[in-house]
PDB file of all heavy atoms in Angstrom:
ATOM      1  N   PHE A1592      99.234  72.973  87.289  1.00  0.00           N
ATOM      2  CA  PHE A1592      99.379  74.370  86.876  1.00  0.00           C
ATOM      3  C   PHE A1592     100.224  75.041  87.948  1.00  0.00           C
ATOM      4  O   PHE A1592      99.792  75.210  89.088  1.00  0.00           O
ATOM      5  CB  PHE A1592      98.003  75.024  86.758  1.00  0.00           C
ATOM      6  CG  PHE A1592      98.025  76.497  86.455  1.00  0.00           C
ATOM      7  CD1 PHE A1592      98.241  76.942  85.159  1.00  0.00           C
ATOM      8  CD2 PHE A1592      97.810  77.429  87.455  1.00  0.00           C
ATOM      9  CE1 PHE A1592      98.253  78.306  84.870  1.00  0.00           C
ATOM     10  CE2 PHE A1592      97.808  78.790  87.176  1.00  0.00           C
ATOM     11  CZ  PHE A1592      98.034  79.226  85.876  1.00  0.00           C
ATOM     12  N   CYS A1593     101.465  75.391  87.605  1.00  0.00           N
ATOM     13  CA  CYS A1593     102.404  75.980  88.555  1.00  0.00           C
ATOM     14  C   CYS A1593     102.605  77.447  88.200  1.00  0.00           C
ATOM     15  O   CYS A1593     102.862  77.769  87.035  1.00  0.00           O
ATOM     16  CB  CYS A1593     103.745  75.261  88.506  1.00  0.00           C
ATOM     17  SG  CYS A1593     103.652  73.464  88.671  1.00  0.00           S
ATOM     18  N   PHE A1594     102.529  78.349  89.169  1.00  0.00           N
ATOM     19  CA  PHE A1594     102.557  79.771  88.859  1.00  0.00           C
ATOM     20  C   PHE A1594     103.328  80.567  89.904  1.00  0.00           C
ATOM     21  O   PHE A1594     103.500  80.137  91.049  1.00  0.00           O
ATOM     22  CB  PHE A1594     101.129  80.321  88.744  1.00  0.00           C
ATOM     23  CG  PHE A1594     100.363  80.305  90.036  1.00  0.00           C
ATOM     24  CD1 PHE A1594     100.371  81.397  90.886  1.00  0.00           C
ATOM     25  CD2 PHE A1594      99.642  79.184  90.422  1.00  0.00           C
ATOM     26  CE1 PHE A1594      99.680  81.381  92.090  1.00  0.00           C
ATOM     27  CE2 PHE A1594      98.937  79.154  91.616  1.00  0.00           C
ATOM     28  CZ  PHE A1594      98.963  80.259  92.444  1.00  0.00           C
ATOM     29  N   SER A1595     103.787  81.744  89.490  1.00  0.00           N
ATOM     30  CA  SER A1595     104.496  82.647  90.388  1.00  0.00           C
ATOM     31  C   SER A1595     104.489  84.040  89.794  1.00  0.00           C
ATOM     32  O   SER A1595     104.400  84.218  88.574  1.00  0.00           O
ATOM     33  CB  SER A1595     105.943  82.177  90.595  1.00  0.00           C
ATOM     34  OG  SER A1595     106.682  83.108  91.377  1.00  0.00           O
ATOM     35  N   SER A1596     104.614  85.040  90.664  1.00  0.00           N
ATOM     36  CA  SER A1596     104.793  86.417  90.203  1.00  0.00           C
ATOM     37  C   SER A1596     106.199  86.647  89.665  1.00  0.00           C
ATOM     38  O   SER A1596     106.446  87.671  89.018  1.00  0.00           O
ATOM     39  CB  SER A1596     104.538  87.401  91.350  1.00  0.00           C
ATOM     40  OG  SER A1596     103.213  87.314  91.813  1.00  0.00           O
ATOM     41  N   ILE A1597     107.103  85.726  89.942  1.00  0.00           N
ATOM     42  CA  ILE A1597     108.505  85.892  89.568  1.00  0.00           C
ATOM     43  C   ILE A1597     108.902  84.791  88.590  1.00  0.00           C
ATOM     44  O   ILE A1597     108.721  83.595  88.866  1.00  0.00           O
ATOM     45  CB  ILE A1597     109.407  85.881  90.816  1.00  0.00           C
ATOM     46  CG1 ILE A1597     109.064  87.085  91.700  1.00  0.00           C
ATOM     47  CG2 ILE A1597     110.879  85.893  90.437  1.00  0.00           C
ATOM     48  CD1 ILE A1597     109.836  87.141  92.997  1.00  0.00           C
ATOM     49  N   PHE A1598     109.435  85.197  87.460  1.00  0.00           N
ATOM     50  CA  PHE A1598     109.775  84.284  86.378  1.00  0.00           C
ATOM     51  C   PHE A1598     110.868  83.287  86.764  1.00  0.00           C
ATOM     52  O   PHE A1598     110.780  82.090  86.486  1.00  0.00           O
ATOM     53  CB  PHE A1598     110.221  85.103  85.160  1.00  0.00           C
ATOM     54  CG  PHE A1598     110.863  84.302  84.065  1.00  0.00           C
ATOM     55  CD1 PHE A1598     110.084  83.622  83.143  1.00  0.00           C
ATOM     56  CD2 PHE A1598     112.243  84.230  83.960  1.00  0.00           C
ATOM     57  CE1 PHE A1598     110.670  82.883  82.134  1.00  0.00           C
ATOM     58  CE2 PHE A1598     112.837  83.502  82.964  1.00  0.00           C
ATOM     59  CZ  PHE A1598     112.052  82.822  82.043  1.00  0.00           C
ATOM     60  N   GLU A1599     111.934  83.789  87.428  1.00  0.00           N
ATOM     61  CA  GLU A1599     113.138  82.984  87.596  1.00  0.00           C
ATOM     62  C   GLU A1599     112.913  81.719  88.407  1.00  0.00           C
ATOM     63  O   GLU A1599     113.563  80.690  88.154  1.00  0.00           O
ATOM     64  CB  GLU A1599     114.245  83.824  88.248  1.00  0.00           C
ATOM     65  CG  GLU A1599     114.844  84.867  87.324  1.00  0.00           C
ATOM     66  CD  GLU A1599     114.036  86.143  87.242  1.00  0.00           C
ATOM     67  OE1 GLU A1599     112.991  86.226  87.925  1.00  0.00           O
ATOM     68  OE2 GLU A1599     114.452  87.054  86.500  1.00  0.00           O
ATOM     69  N   THR A1600     112.032  81.765  89.402  1.00  0.00           N
ATOM     70  CA  THR A1600     111.824  80.581  90.229  1.00  0.00           C
ATOM     71  C   THR A1600     111.208  79.438  89.422  1.00  0.00           C
ATOM     72  O   THR A1600     111.600  78.279  89.565  1.00  0.00           O
ATOM     73  CB  THR A1600     110.933  80.902  91.436  1.00  0.00           C
ATOM     74  OG1 THR A1600     109.763  81.593  90.984  1.00  0.00           O
ATOM     75  CG2 THR A1600     111.663  81.762  92.434  1.00  0.00           C
ATOM     76  N   LEU A1601     110.229  79.764  88.595  1.00  0.00           N
ATOM     77  CA  LEU A1601     109.640  78.733  87.741  1.00  0.00           C
ATOM     78  C   LEU A1601     110.651  78.217  86.734  1.00  0.00           C
ATOM     79  O   LEU A1601     110.749  77.016  86.478  1.00  0.00           O
ATOM     80  CB  LEU A1601     108.417  79.291  87.008  1.00  0.00           C
ATOM     81  CG  LEU A1601     107.177  79.587  87.829  1.00  0.00           C
ATOM     82  CD1 LEU A1601     106.111  80.210  86.940  1.00  0.00           C
ATOM     83  CD2 LEU A1601     106.634  78.333  88.490  1.00  0.00           C
ATOM     84  N   TYR A1602     111.411  79.132  86.143  1.00  0.00           N
ATOM     85  CA  TYR A1602     112.384  78.768  85.112  1.00  0.00           C
ATOM     86  C   TYR A1602     113.454  77.845  85.684  1.00  0.00           C
ATOM     87  O   TYR A1602     113.926  76.923  85.009  1.00  0.00           O
ATOM     88  CB  TYR A1602     113.007  80.039  84.547  1.00  0.00           C
ATOM     89  CG  TYR A1602     113.924  79.802  83.373  1.00  0.00           C
ATOM     90  CD1 TYR A1602     113.414  79.436  82.130  1.00  0.00           C
ATOM     91  CD2 TYR A1602     115.299  79.961  83.504  1.00  0.00           C
ATOM     92  CE1 TYR A1602     114.254  79.218  81.052  1.00  0.00           C
ATOM     93  CE2 TYR A1602     116.149  79.752  82.431  1.00  0.00           C
ATOM     94  CZ  TYR A1602     115.622  79.377  81.208  1.00  0.00           C
ATOM     95  OH  TYR A1602     116.459  79.174  80.139  1.00  0.00           O
ATOM     96  N   ALA A1603     113.842  78.060  86.943  1.00  0.00           N
ATOM     97  CA  ALA A1603     114.886  77.250  87.551  1.00  0.00           C
ATOM     98  C   ALA A1603     114.357  75.910  88.057  1.00  0.00           C
ATOM     99  O   ALA A1603     114.960  74.858  87.812  1.00  0.00           O
ATOM    100  CB  ALA A1603     115.539  78.024  88.699  1.00  0.00           C
ATOM    101  N   PHE A1604     113.221  75.931  88.755  1.00  0.00           N
ATOM    102  CA  PHE A1604     112.712  74.692  89.342  1.00  0.00           C
ATOM    103  C   PHE A1604     112.119  73.760  88.301  1.00  0.00           C
ATOM    104  O   PHE A1604     112.235  72.547  88.406  1.00  0.00           O
ATOM    105  CB  PHE A1604     111.667  75.001  90.412  1.00  0.00           C
ATOM    106  CG  PHE A1604     112.207  74.811  91.797  1.00  0.00           C
ATOM    107  CD1 PHE A1604     112.525  75.907  92.576  1.00  0.00           C
ATOM    108  CD2 PHE A1604     112.434  73.553  92.317  1.00  0.00           C
ATOM    109  CE1 PHE A1604     113.044  75.757  93.844  1.00  0.00           C
ATOM    110  CE2 PHE A1604     112.954  73.373  93.582  1.00  0.00           C
ATOM    111  CZ  PHE A1604     113.259  74.484  94.351  1.00  0.00           C
ATOM    112  N   TYR A1605     111.452  74.325  87.314  1.00  0.00           N
ATOM    113  CA  TYR A1605     110.802  73.510  86.285  1.00  0.00           C
ATOM    114  C   TYR A1605     111.504  73.747  84.949  1.00  0.00           C
ATOM    115  O   TYR A1605     110.886  74.067  83.947  1.00  0.00           O
ATOM    116  CB  TYR A1605     109.319  73.874  86.215  1.00  0.00           C
ATOM    117  CG  TYR A1605     108.619  73.712  87.550  1.00  0.00           C
ATOM    118  CD1 TYR A1605     108.188  74.825  88.275  1.00  0.00           C
ATOM    119  CD2 TYR A1605     108.416  72.451  88.099  1.00  0.00           C
ATOM    120  CE1 TYR A1605     107.557  74.671  89.505  1.00  0.00           C
ATOM    121  CE2 TYR A1605     107.785  72.295  89.321  1.00  0.00           C
ATOM    122  CZ  TYR A1605     107.366  73.411  90.027  1.00  0.00           C
ATOM    123  OH  TYR A1605     106.748  73.256  91.244  1.00  0.00           O
ATOM    124  N   TYR A1606     112.833  73.566  84.978  1.00  0.00           N
ATOM    125  CA  TYR A1606     113.669  73.915  83.822  1.00  0.00           C
ATOM    126  C   TYR A1606     113.371  73.076  82.595  1.00  0.00           C
ATOM    127  O   TYR A1606     113.670  73.474  81.472  1.00  0.00           O
ATOM    128  CB  TYR A1606     115.152  73.787  84.189  1.00  0.00           C
ATOM    129  CG  TYR A1606     115.564  72.412  84.635  1.00  0.00           C
ATOM    130  CD1 TYR A1606     115.977  71.444  83.726  1.00  0.00           C
ATOM    131  CD2 TYR A1606     115.543  72.078  85.984  1.00  0.00           C
ATOM    132  CE1 TYR A1606     116.346  70.176  84.149  1.00  0.00           C
ATOM    133  CE2 TYR A1606     115.902  70.822  86.414  1.00  0.00           C
ATOM    134  CZ  TYR A1606     116.313  69.866  85.496  1.00  0.00           C
ATOM    135  OH  TYR A1606     116.667  68.610  85.922  1.00  0.00           O
ATOM    136  N   GLU A1607     112.740  71.916  82.797  1.00  0.00           N
ATOM    137  CA  GLU A1607     112.412  71.073  81.645  1.00  0.00           C
ATOM    138  C   GLU A1607     111.103  71.487  80.983  1.00  0.00           C
ATOM    139  O   GLU A1607     110.727  70.950  79.936  1.00  0.00           O
ATOM    140  CB  GLU A1607     112.341  69.600  82.067  1.00  0.00           C
ATOM    141  CG  GLU A1607     111.163  69.234  82.959  1.00  0.00           C
ATOM    142  CD  GLU A1607     111.407  69.443  84.437  1.00  0.00           C
ATOM    143  OE1 GLU A1607     112.165  70.366  84.794  1.00  0.00           O
ATOM    144  OE2 GLU A1607     110.854  68.678  85.233  1.00  0.00           O
ATOM    145  N   GLU A1608     110.399  72.440  81.584  1.00  0.00           N
ATOM    146  CA  GLU A1608     109.113  72.885  81.054  1.00  0.00           C
ATOM    147  C   GLU A1608     109.241  74.274  80.406  1.00  0.00           C
ATOM    148  O   GLU A1608     110.198  75.010  80.659  1.00  0.00           O
ATOM    149  CB  GLU A1608     108.064  72.946  82.166  1.00  0.00           C
ATOM    150  CG  GLU A1608     107.983  71.725  83.050  1.00  0.00           C
ATOM    151  CD  GLU A1608     107.499  70.477  82.324  1.00  0.00           C
ATOM    152  OE1 GLU A1608     107.156  70.563  81.140  1.00  0.00           O
ATOM    153  OE2 GLU A1608     107.466  69.409  82.959  1.00  0.00           O
ATOM    154  N   THR A1609     108.252  74.625  79.602  1.00  0.00           N
ATOM    155  CA  THR A1609     108.181  75.968  79.034  1.00  0.00           C
ATOM    156  C   THR A1609     107.421  76.879  79.987  1.00  0.00           C
ATOM    157  O   THR A1609     106.337  76.530  80.449  1.00  0.00           O
ATOM    158  CB  THR A1609     107.462  75.948  77.673  1.00  0.00           C
ATOM    159  OG1 THR A1609     108.169  75.088  76.783  1.00  0.00           O
ATOM    160  CG2 THR A1609     107.390  77.339  77.076  1.00  0.00           C
TER     161      THR A1609
END
Side-chain angles (χ1 to χ4, degrees):
F1592 175 79
C1593 308
F1594 66 92
S1595 175
S1596 298
I1597 296 177
F1598 168 82
E1599 288 83 1
T1600 50
L1601 290 177
Y1602 186 72
F1604 255 105
Y1605 303 110
Y1606 59 88
E1607 69 273 32
E1608 312 294 356
T1609 301

